[in-house]
Structures are given as C-alpha cells and as structure tokens.
Amino acid sequence: MSDPVTDLMAILDARIAEDKARKARQEAEAARRVPRLLAKYLTLAGEAMRDPNLAVSVNEIDRDERGGSVHATVSACGGCPDTERAYWENGSYDYGGRWRPLTGQESRQRAEREARAWAQAHAEKCRAMPGSEVS
C-alpha cells in the first residue's frame, strides 16, 4: 500500500520541475526575440551634440515582431529612418575564383561585415536628428 503523503510529494515535485522547465523555455524564447547589439557608430549629429542616441546601431536578430524566422543583421540609424538588412543566406560565395556553399557561421559573419560597413558609412555622413529634437 502506498503512502498518500509520499504520492502527493511526488506529484508536487513533478509539477515544480515542469514549471521550472516551462519557465526556462519561455526565458530562452524571450532572449531569442531580443536583438543582440553588435556595434554602435555615432553619427555626425550625435558627435556634434554629444548624444549617444544619435548613432547607427548594428543588431543581430533571428525573429521578427510576429515570431517568424528572419536571420539578419540590421543597421538602423537613430537620427533618420534609414535602415539596412543583411540576411544570413546559406548560398554560394566566390572564394578565390571557386564557388562553394557558405556555412551558417560564414553567412552570419558576411552579413555582419556588410551591416557594419553600411552603418559606418552612413554614420560618417548622417546629420539628421529626430523630429522631436528640432525646434
């Protein structure tokens, strides 16, 4: 004959373990939705006004706002509406005159290089400020 207290404790322990696992999955999913900041490049306006918000940020994302898969490195200016997306495409790449498929990591690195180059070039010439800061 089983002990009711022992049975109840086993059920509670199982539910606590399930709750912890569910919470860990939810936290991991939320972390994947948050863009990972790779770099910020201060714009001309940001430099002149000493405002770090007027920068071009480079972020890595793997989900869009609706939870769909995106896999891109995004550059977005804090002063104007300009943005640029470099997608992580596992396609062909010219490597010393030979075509070969890119691995996932190589594709991600190429996208980051492209996004950083765009961000830096844009930051060097952007003088825009958000409309609310202009009087």
Side-chain angles (χ1 to χ4, degrees):
M1 189 150 54
S2 66
D3 179 25
V5 174
T6 303
D7 291 345
L8 183 58
M9 291 302 291
I11 292 170
L12 288 174
D13 287 342
R15 286 194 179 166
I16 290 170
E18 287 174 12
D19 286 345
K20 283 182 181 179
R22 184 173 17 88
K23 185 176 179 180
R25 284 192 305 272
Q26 289 172 342
E27 288 174 355
E29 181 64 28
R32 280 193 291 274
R33 289 185 187 157
V34 176
R36 186 170 70 95
L37 180 65
L38 299 174
K40 275 192 165 190
Y41 298 89
L42 202 56
T43 64
L44 286 176
E47 191 174 333
M49 298 183 68
R50 295 188 175 146
D51 184 354
N53 295 318
L54 296 176
V56 182
S57 61
V58 179
N59 295 288
E60 217 175 55
I61 62 170
D62 67 357
R63 301 264 184 232
D64 67 8
E65 298 78 28
R66 295 175 299 280
S69 182
V70 174
H71 304 297
T73 304
V74 179
S75 302
C77 184
C80 72
D82 287 353
T83 61
E84 181 72 21
R85 282 184 182 224
Y87 292 96
W88 309 344
E89 298 174 16
N90 292 332
S92 297
Y93 182 71
D94 184 6
Y95 182 71
R98 298 186 319 262
W99 289 94
R100 67 176 180 86
L102 286 175
T103 65
Q105 185 63 23
E106 289 170 328
S107 176
R108 192 177 193 168
Q109 289 169 345
R110 181 178 51 87
E112 183 178 338
R113 281 192 306 272
E114 290 174 7
R116 284 176 181 263
W118 184 89
Q120 188 169 11
H122 182 80
E124 289 173 356
K125 64 183 181 189
C126 185
R127 298 176 296 147
M129 293 185 299
S132 62
E133 293 186 19
V134 179
S135 48

